[in-house]
Amino acid sequence: MKKHNFSAGPCILPQEVFKEASQAILDYNDSGLSVIEISHRSKDFVDIMEEARSLALELLGLEGKGYKALFLQGGASTQFLMTAYNLLQTKAGYINTGSWSDKAVKEAKLFGEVLEIASSKDANYNYIPKGYEVPGDLDYIHCTSNNTIFGTQIKDFPTSNIPLVCDMSSDIFSRQLDFSKFSLIYAGAQKNMGPAGTTLVVVKEDILGKINRQIPSMLDYQVHISKGSMFNTPPVFAVYTSMLTLRWLKNLGGIAAMEELNEKKAKLIYSEIDVNPLFKGFAAKEDRSNMNATFTLINENLKETFDTMCKEGGINGVNGHRSVGGYRASMYNAMTIESVAALVDIMGDLERKA
Amino acid sequence: MKKHNFSAGPCILPQEVFKEASQAILDYNDSGLSVIEISHRSKDFVDIMEEARSLALELLGLEGKGYKALFLQGGASTQFLMTAYNLLQTKAGYINTGSWSDKAVKEAKLFGEVLEIASSKDANYNYIPKGYEVPGDLDYIHCTSNNTIFGTQIKDFPTSNIPLVCDMSSDIFSRQLDFSKFSLIYAGAQKNMGPAGTTLVVVKEDILGKINRQIPSMLDYQVHISKGSMFNTPPVFAVYTSMLTLRWLKNLGGIAAMEELNEKKAKLIYSEIDVNPLFKGFAAKEDRSNMNATFTLINENLKETFDTMCKEGGINGVNGHRSVGGYRASMYNAMTIESVAALVDIMGDLERKA
């Protein structure tokens, strides 16, 4: 049976990437060696790393604009502390739009004053705060572009002269933005870019080196930049597979083509949620995420029936996060519109049955 | 042509592990989903993580002795700072036996006083220091069990009541030791355990929580222990493939069987180095590593001939590190004795030719 993988992350990747990665584990490029047994200093791997870094900048439209791309380890959770370690001298402003923002705030507080300049915690993060003021004396502003758990997405980012740092883990490469408005972008690979195990960091070099704090080498962006993202052994397989996914994205037409598809998928499911009397959306309509649609059954008694229908239809990973409940359909770049249609059909079938 | 992969790391893994990992990228356990697209909170992955953690403790003989095994990210380089962040209150002692020890010293100095209680830097690390005194007022002693670059290996570890921390990146699971003498062991996976991208940490819980320092969550061993090594998304593929390699090791007979094979392989190459008049070993004989044999050609004019013969014989990755020069044959657990014999044959052929 065909599976439709709506998992929130790690999650679906393009089928052709699975095939190519699987083959490379056996024999990379007809070398007679696996991609995971070659030296990371070999030409073969250095080429992979350089292609991954260069594709990331190219797809984001940031080539030649003073940015560097790094493939690090430790997930966004490590970036919560690294951003503060490298950038927080006195005071930083955080926009709290969900659990991940909240965790970022917690880690940053170890390094300086943290001001929550806006928060939607009061309504279990079901909306994106707007109309807040940005103080002028901040080292940086931190935000989370997409909130996987709650299904909200920032459409308008704060504008100011203060460096903007953004956790784009769950929507990078999914929509067109002027990425040059951000001074630092980070994203765990395991949604739109690759398998778990590497984190993309895109940083504008001129914001670094401005604080009075000694930074351990592995936590220092400048160290990683100076070594071409190879200060120590990189997570070879995760970088290789991310590179394959970025190649796939470029061949499809880049972020513009992807955005078009993502909008179609999102429209399909949100229309069903709004039309079908059995379901209710969780997030405020104007802040809905194109990556993660969160919704609940109005009548909880239908849960077992709906869950069984999903299982029989090959629908995987639609259980909501415990802090929201209900359902969450994650529709990252590699998800086809056919898979979203399969879920929407089941939602319609439930209405006809009930 | 069959390749003999002597790469220092990332390096050879068992062929059956490559096969199983390659298959799991396409379809894990007949689930219809790739192992890298399933949720890390799914039963399938939680089982993988638990088996990996439990196999690590079992193979080291540390089950039921107050230790926890963690699969983290960031390599040994991150452990250089994490050990100090978690354990260094006032003063720590480091045994400096090579470039990696030296880097560990550098990172630890950011957190307290670091005493080099022994060093072989005076002779480009070609031996293991002995007969040094261990002060009684240290928070811990740090050592590196095997020095990949220089081809030396500690045979006798310091004994004292002070917690012993050891970087075993390049020889863990290769020889029998009383592992309960160590309070904390860490090892990057990419030699004897799996692909690059995860780091095994085995820590005795009673040494933690004794310092007055706030530790960022991702750098805090206690946080990772409390979450069963799943505080954040783990590096799924690297953990899975490490688990497969640990299973393979257990099926072969564990560390005892592996040690026997490793001694045979080491004896084979060191005998050739000592007997063949064209070659000279780099490391002091009594400190020679069973994992990495370092040697040079006495007559540098033969280099081109030898390199060509190696290439024609399918010998991969025997170039020495730039700080030693010459050659380095890394013979990790997954290397067969036939591959070592292939290299030894070529060394013998060179003598007959020259």
Side-chain angles (χ1 to χ4, degrees):
Chain A
M1 182 178 61
K2 180 168 166 45
K3 287 281 180 78
H4 305 284
N5 185 13
F6 288 90
S7 180
C11 66
I12 190 168
L13 292 175
Q15 291 300 318
E16 61 194 82
V17 168
F18 289 142
K19 276 185 202 141
E20 205 166 341
S22 170
Q23 173 55 34
I25 298 287
L26 296 176
D27 184 359
Y28 179 65
N29 237 351
D30 293 320
S31 65
L33 295 170
S34 167
V35 72
I36 59 174
E37 70 173 318
I38 59 175
S39 167
H40 60 293
R41 305 286 177 198
S42 65
K43 183 173 183 312
D44 274 338
F45 186 74
V46 172
D47 286 352
I48 290 168
M49 176 61 94
E50 285 312 305
E51 185 173 349
R53 296 177 71 200
S54 134
L55 278 170
L57 292 182
E58 182 189 341
L59 287 162
L60 297 172
L62 292 177
E63 276 179 321
K65 293 183 178 169
Y67 290 80
K68 295 286 184 194
L70 302 170
F71 284 84
L72 305 182
Q73 293 188 60
S77 296
T78 296
Q79 293 310 308
F80 297 163
L81 73 106
M82 269 181 83
T83 45
Y85 228 129
N86 284 266
L87 303 173
L88 179 45
Q89 184 67 53
T90 313
K91 188 159 66 169
Y94 278 65
I95 303 172
N96 188 347
T97 55
S99 310
W100 298 108
S101 310
D102 212 41
K103 289 183 188 191
V105 166
K106 186 188 160 208
E107 302 303 323
K109 279 181 176 167
L110 297 181
F111 301 93
E113 191 184 339
V114 173
L115 198 67
E116 279 195 37
I117 56 181
S119 172
S120 52
K121 202 170 188 169
D122 58 337
N124 197 24
Y125 302 114
N126 73 353
Y127 71 99
I128 298 292
K130 296 163 198 83
Y132 46 87
E133 275 186 42
V134 174
D137 61 345
L138 303 172
D139 295 325
Y140 62 90
I141 300 166
H142 181 281
C143 60
T144 314
S145 57
N146 185 75
N147 301 282
T148 332
I149 295 177
F150 305 95
T152 61
Q153 192 172 31
I154 300 181
K155 314 286 176 180
D156 296 304
F157 290 87
T159 46
S160 73
N161 292 324
I162 298 164
L164 187 57
V165 173
C166 188
D167 176 358
M168 291 196 188
S169 291
S170 55
D171 70 352
I172 194 162
F173 301 120
S174 75
R175 57 172 169 164
Q176 297 184 87
L177 290 173
D178 179 356
F179 293 99
S180 71
K181 288 192 174 158
F182 301 88
S183 294
L184 192 150
I185 295 166
Y186 61 88
Q190 66 271 16
K191 319 279 187 184
N192 280 329
M193 197 177 70
T198 191
T199 311
L200 174 65
V201 174
V202 175
V203 57
K204 202 167 185 188
E205 279 195 273
D206 65 12
I207 65 164
L208 301 174
K210 297 193 170 164
I211 55 148
N212 301 319
R213 176 186 294 125
Q214 280 198 294
I215 308 172
S217 304
M218 278 298 287
L219 303 177
D220 187 340
Y221 294 123
Q222 289 185 310
V223 166
H224 290 290
I225 289 172
S226 74
K227 299 290 183 181
S229 201
M230 299 261 268
F231 171 67
N232 71 333
T233 313
V236 167
F237 178 78
V239 174
Y240 170 66
T241 309
S242 296
M243 184 276 284
L244 293 179
T245 311
L246 295 177
R247 255 192 208 166
W248 165 87
L249 177 55
K250 185 180 169 184
N251 290 338
L252 272 187
I255 295 181
M258 194 46 67
E259 180 179 58
E260 208 181 311
L261 173 63
N262 287 332
E263 282 178 357
K264 280 184 192 155
K265 292 186 289 185
K267 202 171 167 189
L268 186 58
I269 194 157
Y270 285 123
S271 302
E272 181 66 24
I273 291 170
D274 291 339
V275 156
N276 191 320
L278 303 182
F279 295 98
K280 190 175 66 177
F282 173 78
K285 283 191 184 180
E286 70 274 18
D287 301 322
R288 279 173 167 175
S289 162
N290 280 1
M291 295 284 100
N292 315 91
T294 45
F295 54 98
T296 49
L297 273 166
I298 288 167
N299 178 355
E300 271 293 313
N301 293 335
L302 292 172
K303 179 171 164 43
E304 211 182 309
T305 312
F306 184 60
D307 289 352
T308 305
M309 289 167 72
C310 282
K311 202 172 172 191
E312 287 171 1
I315 305 293
N316 178 73
V318 288
N319 284 338
H321 189 275
R322 65 184 176 282
S323 41
V324 173
Y327 298 91
R328 169 173 53 171
S330 299
M331 305 167 292
Y332 299 115
N333 282 357
M335 168 148 287
T336 61
I337 195 154
E338 289 73 23
S339 284
V340 180
L343 173 59
V344 165
D345 282 350
I346 291 172
M347 293 166 77
D349 286 348
L350 184 73
E351 187 191 350
R352 282 180 285 278
K353 262 194 186 177
Chain B
M1 182 179 61
K2 181 168 165 46
K3 287 281 179 79
H4 305 284
N5 184 12
F6 288 90
S7 179
C11 66
I12 191 168
L13 292 175
Q15 291 300 318
E16 62 194 80
V17 168
F18 289 143
K19 276 184 201 141
E20 206 166 339
S22 170
Q23 174 55 34
I25 298 287
L26 296 177
D27 185 358
Y28 179 65
N29 238 349
D30 292 321
S31 64
L33 295 171
S34 167
V35 72
I36 58 173
E37 70 172 318
I38 59 175
S39 168
H40 60 293
R41 304 289 178 197
S42 65
K43 183 174 182 311
D44 274 338
F45 186 74
V46 172
D47 286 352
I48 290 168
M49 176 60 94
E50 284 312 305
E51 185 173 348
R53 296 177 70 200
S54 136
L55 277 170
L57 291 181
E58 183 189 339
L59 287 162
L60 297 171
L62 291 177
E63 276 178 321
K65 293 185 177 169
Y67 291 81
K68 296 285 185 195
L70 303 170
F71 284 85
L72 306 181
Q73 293 187 61
S77 297
T78 297
Q79 293 310 308
F80 297 162
L81 73 107
M82 269 180 81
T83 46
Y85 227 129
N86 284 266
L87 303 173
L88 177 46
Q89 185 67 55
T90 313
K91 187 159 67 169
Y94 278 64
I95 302 171
N96 188 349
T97 56
S99 310
W100 299 107
S101 309
D102 211 41
K103 289 182 188 191
V105 166
K106 184 188 162 206
E107 302 303 323
K109 280 182 175 167
L110 297 181
F111 301 93
E113 190 184 340
V114 173
L115 197 67
E116 280 195 38
I117 56 181
S119 172
S120 52
K121 202 170 188 169
D122 57 337
N124 197 22
Y125 302 113
N126 75 352
Y127 71 99
I128 298 291
K130 295 165 198 84
Y132 48 86
E133 273 186 43
V134 175
D137 61 343
L138 303 172
D139 294 326
Y140 63 89
I141 300 166
H142 181 283
C143 60
T144 313
S145 58
N146 184 76
N147 301 282
T148 331
I149 295 176
F150 306 95
T152 62
Q153 192 170 31
I154 300 182
K155 313 287 174 178
D156 296 304
F157 290 88
T159 47
S160 74
N161 292 323
I162 298 164
L164 187 57
V165 173
C166 187
D167 176 359
M168 291 195 190
S169 292
S170 55
D171 70 351
I172 195 162
F173 302 120
S174 75
R175 57 172 170 165
Q176 297 184 88
L177 290 172
D178 179 356
F179 294 98
S180 72
K181 289 192 173 159
F182 301 89
S183 293
L184 193 151
I185 295 166
Y186 61 87
Q190 67 271 16
K191 319 278 187 185
N192 280 328
M193 198 177 70
T198 192
T199 311
L200 174 66
V201 174
V202 175
V203 57
K204 203 166 185 187
E205 279 196 273
D206 65 11
I207 65 163
L208 300 174
K210 296 193 170 164
I211 55 147
N212 301 319
R213 177 186 294 126
Q214 281 199 293
I215 308 172
S217 304
M218 277 299 287
L219 302 178
D220 187 339
Y221 293 123
Q222 288 184 312
V223 167
H224 290 289
I225 289 172
S226 74
K227 298 291 183 181
S229 201
M230 299 261 267
F231 171 67
N232 70 333
T233 313
V236 167
F237 177 78
V239 174
Y240 170 66
T241 308
S242 296
M243 184 277 283
L244 292 179
T245 310
L246 294 178
R247 255 192 208 165
W248 165 86
L249 177 56
K250 185 180 168 183
N251 290 339
L252 273 187
I255 294 181
M258 195 45 66
E259 180 178 57
E260 208 182 313
L261 173 63
N262 286 332
E263 282 178 356
K264 280 184 193 156
K265 292 186 291 185
K267 201 171 168 189
L268 187 57
I269 194 157
Y270 286 123
S271 302
E272 181 66 23
I273 291 170
D274 291 340
V275 156
N276 190 322
L278 303 183
F279 294 98
K280 188 174 69 178
F282 172 78
K285 282 191 185 181
E286 71 274 19
D287 301 323
R288 280 173 167 176
S289 162
N290 279 1
M291 295 283 100
N292 315 90
T294 44
F295 54 100
T296 49
L297 273 167
I298 289 169
N299 178 355
E300 272 292 313
N301 292 335
L302 292 172
K303 181 171 162 42
E304 210 181 310
T305 311
F306 184 59
D307 288 354
T308 305
M309 289 167 72
C310 281
K311 203 173 172 191
E312 286 171 0
I315 305 294
N316 178 73
V318 287
N319 284 337
H321 188 275
R322 64 183 177 282
S323 42
V324 173
Y327 297 91
R328 169 172 54 172
S330 298
M331 305 167 292
Y332 299 115
N333 283 356
M335 168 148 286
T336 61
I337 194 154
E338 288 74 23
S339 284
V340 180
L343 173 58
V344 165
D345 282 349
I346 291 171
M347 293 166 77
D349 285 348
L350 184 71
E351 187 190 352
R352 282 181 285 279
K353 263 195 186 179

